[in-house]
Amino acid sequence: MVIPRTWRRCLDLICCFIVIALASGAPSRGDAVIDSRSVQQKAGLSAIVQRLGSVDATAHREFTIVLKAGTNGAEAAAVATYLRRFGLFVTITPDDRFIHASGSYAAAGAAAGVNFERVKSGTETFVRTTGPVQFPYAIARYIAGSSVNPGVKVHSFIVNRKGVIVGPQTGYSPADFANIYDINPVYRSGIDGQGATIDIAACFNVNVSDITYFQSHYQLPGASLHIVHVDGTTDQSGLIPPPDIEPTIDVERVIATAPRASVNLYLVPDCLVSQFVDIFAKIDADGGETALSDSYGLGEADYAAFDISDLMEAQHAALQCIASHDVALFAASGDNGSWGDPFLATDFLDVNYPASDPYVIAVGGTTVEQTSLGTRLFEYAWGGSGGGYSNDFTIPSWQAVTPGVASGQFKNVPDVAIDGDPDTGAAVAFDVSLPPPLFPAGGTSAASPTWAGLWALVDESRRVHGHGKLSSAPAALYHLRGTAAFYDITVGDNGYYPAHVGYDNVTGVGVPDAAKLVTALQ
C-alpha cells in the first residue's frame, strides 16, 4: 500500500511527536534488561546446546591459520611443514600472514589437538570442536588465530518491509539517495568512484542478471564485478547454493552510490562463522581494496554461549591485517535494536560482531522520508538499528574522547548510520524474472555497503587531490563529529538507547552529508 504524500506528512508529524516523547524519557524496557556483561548469564546460555555425537572423520574440512604480525617466511614455513605432516594440503600467502589448509576432519583435528562434535541449538545443527585448539608451543607461538573450529552460521542483517511503505513503491532509487544525502555535488565534480575497489564479504551466490537489470533500470554505468568463491562452490551437502538477496543488495548498494567503482564479491558456500575468517584471509592476500563491507554478524553473547570465542579472535586478527593496509572496514550493526539475539534470550543487551571490532566502522540504520523535491523531510533513528557496547573489545582512542557514549571502557556501536528502515528502504533488484523485479528492502545490511560506496567517493577525491589513503578511517570520521559533514539524528531509539544530540548508541555520530564529508576528507 502506498500512502499519498500529503497524508504521509501528517503521519510523519505524528510519528515525530511520538518518538520525541519516547526518547525524552528513560528507556521503556530498561527494567527487564539482562546485561551481556554478566559472565554468569552468558555461561548459563550454553545449556541450550544439545550434543548429537561425532562427525564423519573422512569429511572434507578447509581452514585458515592467521599468523602473528612479524612472522617471517621461515617461521610460516615451519607451521606449514607441521600441518603437512598430518596429510593436509597447505598454501602460504605471499605476505606470510595466512596459511590455508585443507584435508579431512581427522587430519585437521590431529594437527590442532582437538576432536569435533555435532551439536544442535534450536533448529540449527552445526559442528564445533570439543575444546580449545591446542597446537604445540613451537608452532602456537606464531599463531594469532585459526578457523579450525567450524562454528554456527552467521546472520544476514537484511529486512524486507514489514509495514506501510512510506517511501517509493519500489524503494529509494540511487537518485533518491543522492538527493537525500547530498551526493549530487560530488557527482557533478566528476567523482563517481572510479579507481576505487570495494570488497564485499558474503554468502551463497548471486544472479548477475539481477545486478545487470538494476544497472540498466537506473541507467548506471557498467561497474566491474569480480566474483571470488572462497572454500569452494558447493556447500556441506554437496549442493551449489542458490542466489541470495543479501549479496545482491550488497553489490547494488555499492554501485548505486559509487557507480564506477570496481566490486570484488567474496562468497562462501555455507555462511559459517569460520568461513568469514577464510574470506578475510583471502581479501587480505588479494589486496588492493579501498573498503570492505560485511553485512553479516553474530551476537557477542552467541560466541560465548556456543563456545566458539576462538573464531571471534581469529576474525579480529584477520581484520587487523586488512586494516593495516589503510582499508576502511564497514559492518552492519544489526537489525534487532539494542537487544541481543532473541534465539538466546529476550531483553538481552548485546552487540554484534564484527560491528563491535575496534578496527571496524559499525553502520546503524535510520528512517528517512523525502520532501516533494526529493530532499530530506525528516530522519530519525530506526528502532532496529543495532547498538550498545562491546563486552570483548576496549574502547578505541578515537572513540574514548567522544561525549555521549554509553561506555567509556568498551567499544560503542554503531559509529555512523544511514537509511536502514525497510519501510523506507532502498530499491533492490532480485529474482527479476518474477514480479515485482524491484522492491524496497532495508536493514543495516543495506546501510553498510552504502557507506562503503561513499568511501569509494572519498578515496577517489583524495587521489584527485594528490593524497593517498587515510591511515585510520574511523578516526577521520570521528574527527568530523559535530561538523556539517554529519547530520545529527536526535529523535528515536533502538529499544534501550535513545538518540540524542551528539554521539548516541543508535546512530553513532550521525548520517552523512556526502558533499561536505568528501570535501572535508579530500
Side-chain angles (χ1 to χ4, degrees):
M1 175 183 178
V2 178
I3 298 177
R5 285 188 179 273
T6 53
W7 293 11
R8 274 190 272 155
R9 291 180 185 175
C10 294
L11 291 174
D12 294 340
L13 293 174
I14 294 172
C15 291
C16 280
F17 288 130
I18 292 172
V19 292
I20 288 170
L22 290 172
S24 62
S28 59
R29 297 166 69 185
D31 294 340
V33 170
I34 301 173
D35 194 322
S36 69
R37 283 84 212 157
S38 169
V39 176
Q40 290 80 10
Q41 288 287 353
K42 283 188 176 183
L45 295 175
S46 63
I48 66 175
V49 177
Q50 175 187 0
R51 290 176 170 82
L52 300 179
S54 59
V55 302
D56 178 1
T58 64
H60 186 70
R61 179 81 188 109
E62 298 195 32
F63 64 92
T64 297
I65 300 291
V66 186
L67 299 173
K68 293 179 179 178
T71 301
N72 60 40
E75 293 163 340
V79 177
T81 298
Y82 169 80
L83 295 172
R84 290 189 182 107
R85 291 175 189 164
F86 298 89
L88 294 165
F89 179 77
V90 175
T91 57
I92 307 172
T93 57
D95 61 356
D96 297 320
R97 289 304 306 273
F98 300 94
I99 295 176
H100 184 263
S102 61
S104 66
Y105 269 95
V114 293
N115 293 315
F116 296 93
E117 64 178 354
R118 292 184 303 112
V119 296
K120 184 176 183 179
S121 184
T123 59
E124 183 173 5
T125 300
F126 61 97
V127 175
R128 69 180 184 186
T129 56
T130 55
V133 170
Q134 296 180 335
F135 290 106
Y137 173 75
I139 300 302
R141 58 180 174 162
Y142 303 127
I143 296 175
S146 79
S147 62
V148 172
N149 191 355
V152 297
K153 291 183 179 180
V154 295
H155 300 159
S156 163
F157 296 128
I158 190 167
V159 182
N160 292 325
R161 66 178 185 267
K162 294 182 177 180
V164 175
I165 303 174
V166 295
Q169 181 75 32
T170 57
Y172 284 134
S173 68
D176 291 326
F177 269 80
N179 282 325
I180 293 169
Y181 293 108
D182 197 25
I183 311 177
N184 286 320
V186 181
Y187 296 150
R188 288 195 293 268
S189 71
I191 302 299
D192 55 11
Q194 190 166 14
T197 299
I198 305 301
D199 288 350
I200 296 170
C203 305
F204 310 129
N205 266 316
V206 293
N207 190 334
V208 176
S209 64
D210 290 337
I211 296 164
T212 302
Y213 180 94
F214 184 86
Q215 291 173 313
S216 175
H217 182 83
Y218 291 116
Q219 299 180 335
L220 300 173
S224 172
L225 173 62
H226 183 213
I227 298 174
V228 182
H229 290 280
V230 179
D231 291 344
T233 57
T234 57
D235 61 22
Q236 292 176 323
S237 300
L239 303 175
I240 298 175
D244 187 66
I245 190 173
E246 179 58 73
T248 305
I249 196 172
D250 285 347
V251 173
E252 291 175 359
R253 290 310 312 146
V254 170
I255 63 177
T257 311
R260 292 194 183 275
S262 297
V263 179
N264 293 328
L265 176 61
Y266 290 81
L267 296 170
V268 290
D270 298 290
C271 223
L272 299 176
V273 62
S274 58
Q275 292 178 335
F276 275 74
V277 181
D278 303 342
I279 276 190
F280 297 149
K282 176 63 174 170
I283 286 173
D284 182 77
D286 289 349
E289 63 277 351
T290 304
L292 164 66
S293 177
D294 181 353
S295 293
Y296 300 77
L298 198 64
E300 285 189 351
D302 294 21
Y303 283 91
F306 296 139
D307 293 328
I308 55 171
S309 295
D310 55 327
L311 292 173
M312 183 189 292
E313 296 169 6
Q315 288 176 87
H316 174 65
L319 289 170
Q320 182 180 19
C321 292
I322 300 172
S324 70
H325 303 299
D326 298 334
V327 177
L329 309 178
F330 296 93
S333 69
D335 299 337
N336 200 38
S338 57
W339 313 111
D341 185 351
F343 180 72
L344 290 179
T346 58
D347 293 346
F348 190 95
L349 287 182
D350 199 17
V351 291
N352 292 295
Y353 185 85
S356 62
D357 195 292
Y359 291 106
V360 168
I361 300 165
V363 185
T366 61
T367 299
V368 63
E369 188 178 351
Q370 292 174 300
T371 66
S372 57
L373 299 177
T375 55
R376 178 189 290 109
L377 174 62
F378 70 86
E379 189 165 8
Y380 60 88
W382 175 48
S385 179
Y389 58 93
S390 174
N391 182 49
D392 295 284
F393 297 100
T394 57
I395 191 168
S397 59
W398 38 264
Q399 195 181 66
V401 295
T402 303
V405 295
S407 173
Q409 295 180 294
F410 297 97
K411 165 73 189 290
N412 290 263
V413 175
D415 297 298
V416 294
I418 205 163
D419 181 35
D421 186 338
D423 296 331
T424 61
V428 57
F430 177 69
D431 205 2
V432 296
S433 62
L434 299 175
L438 287 164
F439 54 89
T444 53
S445 276
S448 178
T450 303
W451 258 100
L454 288 172
W455 204 256
L457 305 180
V458 170
D459 178 75
E460 183 187 0
S461 178
R462 288 184 60 82
R463 282 184 281 107
V464 166
H465 288 85
H467 301 133
K469 292 180 180 179
L470 286 162
S471 59
S472 174
L477 291 174
Y478 272 74
H479 181 72
L480 296 176
R481 62 180 171 82
T483 72
F486 284 100
Y487 178 82
D488 193 12
I489 305 299
T490 59
V491 174
D493 64 68
N494 63 357
Y496 187 77
Y497 299 101
H500 52 70
V501 174
Y503 177 91
D504 56 67
N505 291 74
V506 194
T507 62
V509 297
V511 299
D513 181 307
K516 294 180 176 64
L517 179 75
V518 170
T519 299
L521 295 177
Q522 68 187 16

